Every structure is written in C-alpha cells, then in structure tokens.
Amino acid sequence: MNLIDVLILLSTTMGLLTALSIVVLSLTWLERKFLGRIQMRMGPMRVGPYGLLQPIADAIKLMSKEDVLPGWVDKVVYWVAPLIVFVPTFMIWITIPVAKDLAIRNMDMGLLYIVAFSVLSMVGLVAAGWASANKYAVLGGFRAAAQLVSYEIPLILATLGVAMLAQSMNLVTIVDQQQIGLPYIFVQPLGLFLFFTAGLAELGRTPFDIHHAESEVVGGPFVEYSGMHWAVFFLAEYINTFAIGALTTLLFLGGWTFPGLPTDILPIGITIFLIKTYMVILVIFWIRGTYPRLRIDQLMALGWQVLVPLAFLNIILTAIYMFYGWPVWSSTIMSAGILIATFWGLSVHMKTAPAPVYTVKLYTPPAQEA
Amino acid sequence: MVLSVDGERVVDMEPHIGYLHRGSEKLCENELYVQIVTLFDRLDYISNLNNEMAFCRAVEKLMGLEVPERAEFIRVILCELNRVASHLLFVGTFGIDAGAMTPILYTFRDREKIQSMFEAVTGARMMHNFIRIGGVKSDVPEDFTDRVKLLRDELIQGINETDKLLSFNEIFLARTKGVGTIDADSAIAYGMSGPSLRACGVPMDVRKDEPYSVYDRFDFGIPIGENGDSWDRYYVRVEEMRQSLKIIDQALEQMPDGPTITPTRFILRPPAGEVYVRGENPRGEIGVYLVSNGTDRPYRVKIRPPSFCNLMALKEMIKNTYLADAVVILGSLDIVLGEVDR
C-alpha cells in the first residue's frame, strides 16, 4: 500500500464522516421542526433563521461539556462501548450507493455485508448498559439485546425477499432491476411493511423505543454518559435512522431512479435519492409523534408471532411467484392481500383482547322522589 | 415508590410517601377561617377550586350560612371547568406514561384556555382563593357567559381531537386494557373513590348520591366502566369531561342574577361543634371534618384526600405486572402528591 492509497483511504473516510455528520445535523433539526409541527409548536427558532443553526449550537455544547466518568464503572468497557456502537453504523455506509456510481465500494454481497455489520452495534448497547453498573442502564441494555436480536430476523428475511426478486445482493443491481421493472413497493408491499417495522425496532424508535423509554428506564444504556461519549451514541442513532431510510429507498422505492428523469446524471440521482430517503425518515418521525410505546412482552409477541411468520410467508410467496413466472400483478395482489388481512386481524385482536373496548357507558341513576 | 423486580416483572412494591408533607392539617389549626381557604388551594394543586369549595361548604354548614344562588352557580361552573382542566392534564400525562408524547401538548393547549378563563375571573391562574365562606369573592366579568360558551365549543373540539389521537389507538389499547385490574369489592374495601372507583362499575358520585350546592338541578350522567382496568379509568375521565361541559351548559342557562356573597364578619367565630362535608373532586371524594370550639380558629381539621385513598390500592394492582405497566397503573390512578402528603 503506497502513500497515494493511504491518502485516498483517508480522504474518503473523512468525506463520508463529514457527509454523515451533516446529515445527522440536518436530521436533528428536521426531527425537532417536524415534531413541533405535529404538536402545534414552532420547534427551535432562536439560533439562526428558523433555528437552522440549532444543531451546530448543540454540537458545540456537547463538545464543551465535561465528560463525567462515574467512579463505579468498568472503565475500559465504558469508554469502548460508544465506539462499538458507532463503528458498525459507519461501516455499513461503505457499500450503500447514493447514486448510480456513487458508493465507496460497491460490493456484490452488499446486502449481506450490511446485515452482518448492523447486528454488531447491539454488543455496544449491552456493553454500555453493563459497564455503567446502573440499574436503569442494565435493564435498558438487556431490553436492547432482546429486542434487536428478535427483530434482526424479520429484517433479514425481508431483505431476502428483495434479493430473490432482483436475483442479486448488489444494491446497485437491485436498483437497476427496479428501474427495468417496477419498484418493489408495488411488487412486495408486505416486504416493505416487514422491513420498515423491523427497521423501526432496530432503530429503537417509537413504538419500539423500549430500551431508552424515559418513563420506564430513564435513558436506558446511555443514562450515565455525558458530553462527547453520549454524542457518539446520538450520532450513531441518527446515522442508523438515515441508513434505514436509505435502505428502504434502495430496496423498495427504486433508489435514485424516477420515471422520466435522467437519473444517471449524478446530481439529479443524488437529489432524487435524498428526497426519497428524507420522506421515509419523515414517516419515522411522524410515527414517533403519534404512537405510544409497546410493552416488552407485546414487542416480543409482535416480533415472533407476527413478523417472523409473515416474513417466511413473504419468502415462500416470492419463491412461488418467481418459480412459475407469474405476472407481476399477481405478486402485488397476494402481498397486499396478506398485508391488509394482517392489519385487520391485529386491529380486531387488539380491540377485543384481553377485554373488549367500548366498556365505558353512562349511568343515569333512577329518578329520586322529590 | 420502591419496586422489587425480577427481570421485567414486578414482584413487590412499596409506596414511599411523605416527601411533600407540609403539615397542612396542623397549620389549619393556627389560621383564621378565611386564611385556611388558601391552604386548601395548595392541597390538590390541579383542582384548587374544588378544594376551596369543600372547605367553604364545611364552614357554611357549621354556621348555617346561606349562600346566594348566583354564587352557587358560579361555583359550580368554575368547579366543573376545574374538573375538565384536571382531567385534561391527566389525559396528557397518561399519554406520556404510555409513551405517546403528543397528546400532552394538545391537552395543555386546552387546559391553558381554561387557566386563562380562571385568570380573567379570579385573577390568578392556580392559587385562586376565589371561593369564599358565604359565596364567591366577586361577580364574574360581564362577558363571562359568552366566553365560557366559546370555551366550551373549543374544549369539545379539543377533547374529541385527543380522543381520536389516543383513546382507540391499538397500541394504547394493548398497553392499558386489562392492566392494573381491580374488582369493585376490593376497590371499595381500599376506600377508592371517584373515577377510579367508577371504572370498576360502581356508580358512586357524591354529586348524585348526596347532591350539594345546586348539582341536583342539572341533568348529567355518571360514566362507569366495566373491567376496572387502566383503560376504563382513562376513558371514564374522558367521558366525565363531556358530562362536565354538559353541566356547565345547563348552569349558564339557569344562572340567576343577584348578590354573590353573604356578608360575614372578617373574623369568623362559628359555634362550637363538628361537621363533616364531602364533595366530588376530580380525583374522587374529598372529605373535610371540621371541629370548632367557638374561637376564631378551628380546633381540628381532618381532610380525607381522594389521592391518598386511591394510592393505597396501588400495591394490589401493581403486583405481578411488568415494569412498564407499573408506570401506566400509577398514571391511571391520577394522584397528586400535594394531596397525598398534605
């Protein structure tokens, strides 16, 4: 490896890090503004026009904060945990293409690589919880472990359906296939639902935010962290959000392609890709503003009793559809039918079990004699 | 609250109360009767007017004081508005307990309107000291009726909005249905009252059972639940807000003209004797036991706070639930610690 190679490596890494940091800054601003809109507030307004400089002010605040090291923690694990969380989230971006020819390294097994690396950050969460030696942190860490392990399976199985349709695990090929045919949202709506739901759980976002639920475990694994170490967790969380948004876009929404636009030209492709990704992320924020949080047993039940069987069903359907070479609309109908049936079933189940709703009624006492 | 947990399961819990103890009952013995009203403001600081009303009624009963009719109507309207404000706060915080962050901002918007209304009428947003012994401090502003009618429409809209957002949300149902169930017999045995008891299917409401003030002139229903779980406790309160608005509507229609206070001396000396008065607070039944020995200060004031009695049932409800449920159950009882500890 000569000097040029090293320089290229360093500059790409720094470039990626810068780009992701800018994305994270924009996401924090967007989340606060968007949630503010949902909740009839303005969101940040003071720093810069429309509060645009707020994320930068926050970053400066976090950097200048004292990094507290509690006396009882396991020092090595405590300091390393943020890195274990951050590095995998950063690593998966190496193979995510942002436009047709814009990926740091386009791998043939890109999907597998992403799936493999995204599991690793869970270790960091457990380590952070354990090393903090705080009851809330430990509980949060274990919750994170249980949750991430269960939801990894439907996530992987959902991506498998896409890989079968595209006959490839290369993300660029997957997008190209969608450009030739239809975006996979129209072919496999069930797959999109599975991927997105499991993705939300992987991110630990509402309604699956049980590992850092404020009202139950305070801040979860991060409760003892402060300053830059906390900021690294925060950064990882938002990069992950962006990654799930990007993957949803690439796998189901046709990536950087758009009918009728010359999206092979780099700036147009990037713009289309970013617009789609931010739309997906806005949906994530929207859900956060609307839904309460699930309980841990309900979370596990949803994962293992609903999502995993559905994911297998999705794969079987895809296999049948591919094997017999049925027309595209047959897959759409099957997939959408199962999805609607699931929604209906879940809704009925939740409104009847364990007790039916509409139990509150008005009682008017019998008229008393004057 | 100290929880013993086994993983995510709650094995045992022990409520630790007393951190907000201010000795209100003892303080009452050293104050003039007119001064005690302000102490009652600070008991349950979410439903101040209802507390003031309970104490004033106790003194009036002891002295045999007649309250002008207009004053009674003003009291009822303000108390019911106060009830709505209290329940709105409950709906919002209960949403937070279940993990939904948006409802509280909607309910706070509506509660804020009620608070502004209170400010216009009483001059204070929280510690009103408006209901006085023998009536109310002053007459309401001229445009009171129109403003309350406007407020009522906005509140109905606001309640419906929150109802749509939260009440029948599948995840919210999953979190609250069948959680923290208590049956009617044990609820009565623990001395629960108010919406928490009504959620078990017991139609007990002091406003109906023992109508005080002018409550017997209004037509309103008592929302009751069936299962006694957290969702019933929540929805009984939502329905109660609608009933309260109905009462306000009727009270505005029937409000007579006239004086708003029976003049009394500044230093009251009620005759020696004892009296017990109960009233329906947003959280349940408040009881005031007042003993006078004929001087200008009461000999003893005992308060039966609804939050305290409801809290006692918590242990039974919380055992063998999940950790996340403990938060929801505590939230569904809607306690105010200022009242638990006095």
Side-chain angles (χ1 to χ4, degrees):
Chain A
M1 204 197 256
N2 55 29
L3 190 65
I4 307 275
D5 281 348
V6 173
L7 280 180
I8 289 176
L9 188 69
L10 277 179
S11 58
T12 28
T13 316
M14 289 314 292
L16 186 60
L17 197 57
T18 317
L20 286 179
S21 304
I22 291 170
V23 163
V24 169
L25 291 185
S26 73
L27 280 183
T28 53
W29 180 82
L30 193 68
E31 172 156 28
R32 295 163 102 180
K33 274 293 186 195
F34 191 66
L35 273 184
R37 252 314 141 89
I38 290 177
Q39 301 169 342
M40 306 173 307
R41 300 182 282 123
M42 309 277 272
M45 284 299 279
R46 294 281 164 173
V47 194
Y50 297 100
L52 269 171
L53 296 178
Q54 184 70 41
I56 297 168
D58 282 347
I60 294 172
K61 184 208 80 174
L62 280 172
M63 277 188 261
S64 58
K65 242 175 123 171
E66 188 194 351
D67 225 346
V68 183
L69 177 73
W72 57 83
V73 301
D74 185 339
K75 276 193 193 119
V76 179
V77 185
Y78 186 78
W79 284 147
V80 168
L83 288 180
I84 305 179
V85 174
F86 179 71
V87 170
T89 59
F90 180 65
M91 293 279 279
I92 61 172
W93 274 94
I94 289 173
T95 191
I96 293 181
V98 183
K100 182 139 181 89
D101 302 311
L102 196 69
I104 292 181
R105 182 149 301 169
N106 187 23
M107 296 184 209
D108 277 343
M109 296 297 276
L111 214 45
L112 187 69
Y113 170 85
I114 289 171
V115 162
F117 263 90
S118 62
V119 192
L120 285 180
S121 56
M122 179 204 85
V123 180
L125 289 179
V126 181
W130 185 254
S132 300
N134 173 308
K135 54 192 171 203
Y136 300 114
V138 171
L139 209 55
F142 288 160
R143 279 178 167 199
Q147 177 184 347
L148 298 193
V149 167
S150 344
Y151 277 83
E152 200 64 44
I153 295 162
L155 188 81
I156 296 169
L157 292 179
T159 56
L160 210 56
V162 173
M164 283 163 78
L165 282 178
Q167 298 285 306
S168 166
M169 281 199 156
N170 185 332
L171 286 166
V172 176
T173 321
I174 291 176
V175 174
D176 285 344
Q177 287 290 329
Q178 296 183 58
Q179 196 173 15
I180 297 164
L182 276 174
Y184 289 150
I185 178 178
F186 298 117
V187 185
Q188 234 181 41
L190 180 62
L192 174 65
F193 166 73
L194 289 171
F195 183 82
F196 191 68
T197 314
L200 277 181
E202 286 290 299
L203 295 173
R205 282 206 166 258
T206 315
F208 306 108
D209 56 343
I210 61 159
H211 66 256
H212 46 225
E214 294 94 359
S215 60
E216 294 154 28
V217 290
V218 195
F222 321 133
V223 68
E224 294 286 358
Y225 285 87
S226 62
M228 255 339 257
H229 281 86
W230 183 81
V232 169
F233 280 122
F234 188 73
L235 207 62
E237 200 178 309
Y238 276 89
I239 294 178
N240 264 334
T241 309
F242 192 56
I244 290 290
L247 282 176
T248 313
T249 309
L250 289 173
L251 297 180
F252 292 98
L253 303 179
W256 54 84
T257 62
F258 196 82
L261 284 181
T263 46
D264 283 352
I265 304 167
L266 206 56
I268 298 180
I270 295 179
T271 316
I272 298 280
F273 175 81
L274 285 180
I275 289 175
K276 285 180 177 174
T277 308
Y278 274 88
M279 296 289 262
V280 175
I281 292 172
L282 281 184
V283 173
I284 296 179
F285 292 163
W286 182 15
I287 291 174
R288 179 166 176 216
T290 316
Y291 277 96
R293 183 185 305 126
L294 278 171
R295 204 169 60 205
I296 186 150
D297 60 318
Q298 293 160 347
L299 184 97
M300 290 293 155
L302 181 69
W304 290 103
Q305 295 174 0
V306 179
L307 292 189
V308 170
L310 275 182
F312 278 114
L313 197 62
N314 184 39
I315 288 179
I316 293 168
L317 279 185
T318 317
I320 294 173
Y321 155 75
M322 298 286 290
F323 183 76
Y324 291 106
W326 287 345
V328 178
W329 54 263
S330 65
S331 171
T332 315
I333 289 175
M334 283 191 296
S335 203
I338 292 173
L339 190 59
I340 291 166
T342 311
F343 278 153
W344 182 77
L346 276 180
S347 174
V348 168
H349 173 76
M350 293 222 178
K351 286 206 168 138
T352 49
V357 288
Y358 310 114
T359 45
V360 173
K361 37 188 175 300
L362 273 188
Y363 170 84
T364 327
Q368 285 166 351
E369 291 127 58
Chain B
M1 195 161 81
V2 176
L3 291 174
S4 318
V5 293
D6 171 20
E8 286 275 341
R9 279 206 163 271
V10 178
V11 182
D12 198 10
M13 84 58 90
E14 194 61 51
H16 275 207
I17 58 174
Y19 290 102
L20 207 60
H21 183 73
R22 292 151 298 176
S24 295
E25 288 179 3
K26 185 72 189 164
L27 272 177
C28 290
E29 293 169 16
N30 302 324
E31 303 286 349
L32 297 175
Y33 280 92
V34 281
Q35 293 173 312
I36 295 176
V37 179
T38 59
L39 287 175
F40 270 71
D41 263 339
R42 283 152 180 79
L43 281 180
D44 176 352
Y45 38 78
I46 314 292
S47 53
N48 327 63
L49 285 161
N50 285 284
N51 288 331
E52 289 175 14
M53 175 117 164
F55 178 73
C56 292
R57 276 177 50 230
V59 181
E60 283 151 14
K61 196 172 167 191
L62 197 60
M63 296 175 63
L65 209 59
E66 275 293 312
V67 180
E69 215 163 63
R70 187 174 170 82
E72 292 280 27
F73 274 90
I74 293 172
R75 281 179 178 190
V76 165
I77 292 171
L78 290 180
C79 282
E80 291 306 316
L81 276 178
N82 203 187
R83 192 185 309 278
V84 175
S86 167
H87 285 343
L88 277 174
L89 188 72
F90 162 78
V91 169
T93 48
F94 193 49
I96 292 257
D97 289 333
M101 59 193 292
T102 305
I104 192 162
L105 288 136
Y106 282 77
T107 55
F108 250 76
R109 170 195 62 183
D110 298 333
R111 184 169 176 268
E112 204 54 42
K113 288 174 191 158
I114 301 180
Q115 300 290 69
S116 315
M117 184 78 221
F118 283 159
E119 194 177 2
V121 176
T122 70
R125 281 164 46 84
M126 278 186 80
M127 302 303 164
H128 311 289
N129 192 13
F130 184 69
I131 297 180
R132 301 285 169 86
I133 296 159
V136 291
K137 181 187 151 228
S138 55
D139 205 348
V140 288
E142 275 171 24
D143 55 351
F144 181 71
T145 315
D146 298 332
R147 283 184 66 175
V148 174
K149 274 184 180 156
L150 193 67
L151 180 66
R152 187 203 63 129
D153 294 340
E154 287 173 346
L155 284 177
I156 286 180
Q157 206 189 341
I159 293 167
N160 289 344
E161 251 176 28
T162 325
D163 200 13
K164 253 189 231 162
L165 180 65
L166 192 62
S167 299
F168 294 99
N169 181 307
E170 274 82 2
I171 297 177
F172 184 71
L173 285 174
R175 283 301 303 279
T176 52
K177 269 272 155 200
V179 169
T181 313
I182 191 163
D183 59 286
D185 290 340
S186 1
I188 292 170
Y190 274 112
M192 283 169 78
S193 56
S196 304
L197 177 64
R198 289 197 281 275
C200 309
V202 184
M204 198 218 80
D205 188 323
V206 184
R207 290 175 296 174
K208 281 277 184 199
D209 296 349
E210 234 178 62
Y212 55 90
S213 193
V214 284
Y215 275 113
D216 48 351
R217 302 189 200 176
F218 307 126
D219 165 40
F220 63 98
I222 308 172
I224 55 168
E226 211 167 75
N227 307 315
D229 54 13
S230 298
W231 194 84
D232 279 1
R233 283 196 282 275
Y234 160 84
Y235 208 70
V236 159
R237 288 185 169 96
V238 174
E239 278 297 326
E240 229 169 64
M241 287 198 271
R242 301 203 170 110
Q243 296 302 321
S244 287
L245 292 175
K246 210 170 143 191
I247 296 177
I248 292 170
D249 240 19
Q250 297 170 37
L252 284 176
E253 298 274 310
Q254 302 176 14
M255 193 150 81
D257 284 333
T260 55
I261 189 159
T262 310
T264 50
R265 295 172 50 170
F266 181 69
I267 297 180
L268 290 170
R269 287 199 174 77
E274 53 185 61
V275 67
Y276 182 76
V277 158
R278 49 189 208 139
E280 186 70 21
N281 257 23
R283 272 162 201 80
E285 180 189 328
I286 187 172
V288 179
Y289 177 62
L290 183 69
V291 184
S292 159
N293 54 4
T295 59
D296 54 354
R297 285 148 222 263
Y299 178 73
R300 174 85 171 96
V301 178
K302 168 84 182 89
I303 304 152
R304 180 223 186 264
S307 295
F308 180 75
C309 298
N310 288 348
L311 185 65
M312 290 307 113
L314 185 64
K315 191 168 177 173
E316 176 161 325
M317 290 187 216
I318 257 180
K319 265 188 189 172
N320 295 323
T321 54
Y322 286 95
L323 183 62
D325 286 341
V327 183
V328 169
I329 297 169
L330 179 64
S332 73
L333 283 176
D334 191 21
I335 55 159
V336 167
L337 284 169
E339 191 181 46
V340 174
D341 288 343
R342 303 187 295 298

